[in-house]
Amino acid sequence: MKITVVSDSHRNYHRLKQVVESNMDSDLFIHLGDGMLEVIDVSKLFPHKDFVFVRGNTDFITYKEERVVSAGGYRLFCTHGHNYNVSWELDSVIRRAHSKRCKIVLFGHTHVYKTECINGMYIMNPGSLDRPRGKNRPSYGTITISESGTVSMNIIAFKG
């Protein structure tokens, strides 16, 4: 199973559309907030693909701020991250994921990509598609879950 994870596209419809078009082999697309308008529009172009999204702190549409998704035998906790102080620490978001019986935590908000595994919890921030911070390029992430349950996470610098 392949999952494409994006965050913080900040109305960059064309870049989000390019990421989806470049990852048509993905089984699931997850948008972690601050870009709900464009993910709704892009998802309409690909009705045969599954899209999941959560609301970020700059999305002014009433929608869920966190979701639990089952994929590849894992439960994924999806949130933008602003409610969990992810710019400073990850303990709060990890505790919340544990309370939801999740093994994968996905968040955005910081505009800085990150992948790591802490005490068996897989953690990914795909960075920002539109406004990366630091010296990073715009980025997104992919998660591959093998049939045996092995998880691999990758960050892809946007080209285009």
Side-chain angles (χ1 to χ4, degrees):
M1 164 164 271
K2 180 180 172 186
I3 304 165
T4 298
V5 184
V6 300
S7 189
D8 297 283
S9 51
H10 292 282
R11 299 188 186 213
N12 195 329
Y13 168 89
H14 295 290
R15 189 164 288 158
L16 178 60
K17 182 175 175 267
Q18 287 177 313
V19 169
V20 173
E21 290 172 338
S22 297
N23 291 278
M24 292 304 289
D25 60 335
S26 285
D27 300 292
L28 177 63
F29 293 89
I30 298 176
H31 194 296
L32 299 171
D34 286 357
M36 280 189 61
L37 294 176
E38 60 269 22
V39 76
I40 290 168
D41 289 342
V42 168
S43 69
K44 290 176 185 174
L45 297 174
F46 305 96
H48 58 287
K49 291 294 182 180
D50 290 328
F51 288 81
V52 169
F53 46 90
V54 295
R55 185 170 68 86
N57 61 301
T58 68
D59 291 317
F60 298 106
I61 297 172
T62 301
Y63 199 72
K64 298 174 185 178
E65 290 187 334
E66 57 186 50
R67 294 192 58 185
V68 173
V69 177
S70 294
Y74 285 85
R75 289 172 56 89
L76 292 71
F77 180 69
C78 307
T79 186
H80 185 60
H82 62 291
N83 292 328
Y84 295 98
N85 204 25
V86 295
S87 296
W88 304 106
E89 53 91 15
L90 299 179
D91 292 342
S92 298
V93 74
I94 290 171
R95 275 194 308 275
R96 180 67 171 164
H98 273 298
S99 77
K100 298 285 187 176
R101 300 180 330 274
C102 296
K103 292 296 258 174
I104 300 174
V105 176
L106 305 175
F107 66 92
H109 187 60
T110 67
H111 295 222
V112 177
Y113 62 78
K114 169 190 272 309
T115 62
E116 64 182 303
C117 188
I118 299 174
N119 297 324
M121 179 73 71
Y122 295 96
I123 298 165
M124 175 186 274
N125 180 332
S128 174
L129 272 185
D130 188 59
R131 300 176 190 166
R133 293 191 178 138
K135 296 184 181 194
N136 296 321
R137 293 178 55 194
S139 61
Y140 64 95
T142 61
I143 300 171
T144 304
I145 304 172
S146 72
E147 288 186 21
S148 65
T150 302
V151 175
S152 64
M153 301 182 292
N154 295 295
I155 299 296
I156 294 105
F158 189 81
K159 298 172 186 169

